[in-house]
Amino acid sequence: DALGRLAEHSLLAPVTSAGGTRYHALEPVRQFAAARLDAEAEGGGGARRRHLGWCLTEAAGLDRADPAEPEWQAAFDAAADEFRAALAWSAALSAQQADAGRQADAAQQADAGRLAATFSGLLFTRGRLREAQQRYEQAAVLASDPAAAARALECAAATAKIRTAGDEALRLDRAAA
């Protein structure tokens, strides 16, 4: 009901598909909401962390699901932008903390690393190899230990080889070693 009322007031755009109706915020509304979330985050709010947790759960569900099922592709496409947003926020927060000379929140960084690693594999499965390679590299940066970083770099190198990006594959193989 609440979503329908917001759509009636042109604050949300409904998108109907076989899987049901989803609502997307219009760009000015999205920007306003993002600014409010950022202000909340500075005050210690946890909306972004809860979003990251939701993304981890969704990504894990997609990772367990059969990509040959027709619903898988639609579910991935519906959630991919959420994963990107959570990773962008996590990377920006880590950079801000580093710039301020503070230690990054280890739990948040570990969650972001797991999301980047899972999202990379999902992108690979979906056939989006360029972004998969970039997300594998991001997973290596966010990895909680050197072994996990090396595994992510090996996957990035393998993806670069499939893309026939030889120089990138060599760079990533060296970094993994």
Side-chain angles (χ1 to χ4, degrees):
D1 258 1
L3 290 173
R5 286 194 302 274
L6 290 171
E8 287 173 5
H9 288 88
S10 300
L11 295 172
L12 295 177
V15 178
T16 306
S17 68
T21 301
R22 294 180 60 98
Y23 292 86
H24 294 277
L26 302 176
E27 189 59 24
V29 175
R30 191 200 62 74
Q31 290 175 356
F32 174 76
R36 292 288 306 266
L37 282 175
D38 290 341
E40 178 188 331
E42 290 174 10
R48 297 270 191 185
R49 282 184 175 80
R50 288 190 302 274
H51 180 249
L52 179 60
W54 177 86
C55 287
L56 277 168
T57 302
E58 287 295 307
L62 283 167
D63 196 35
R64 286 188 304 270
D66 181 4
E69 294 295 322
E71 309 85 44
W72 187 89
Q73 184 175 328
F76 172 84
D77 291 344
D81 283 338
E82 298 293 337
F83 301 157
R84 291 181 186 103
L87 288 169
W89 170 78
S90 296
L93 180 63
S94 294
Q96 286 173 350
Q97 290 170 339
D99 288 346
R102 296 191 319 258
Q103 183 73 16
D105 179 351
Q108 179 265 324
Q109 187 167 344
D111 286 348
R114 284 197 334 267
L115 178 60
T118 305
F119 186 37
S120 304
L122 295 171
L123 285 162
F124 186 91
T125 301
R126 185 71 173 86
R128 296 184 180 164
L129 300 180
R130 182 180 306 271
E131 187 179 2
Q133 179 184 331
Q134 292 168 343
R135 296 299 175 174
Y136 279 125
E137 291 182 60
Q138 184 179 33
V141 170
L142 295 169
S144 56
D145 64 82
R151 281 191 305 274
L153 289 170
E154 288 170 352
C155 290
T159 304
K161 289 171 189 170
I162 292 168
R163 292 181 50 231
T164 64
D167 290 342
E168 291 179 40
L170 181 59
R171 173 185 60 85
L172 292 164
D173 274 333
R174 285 181 177 162

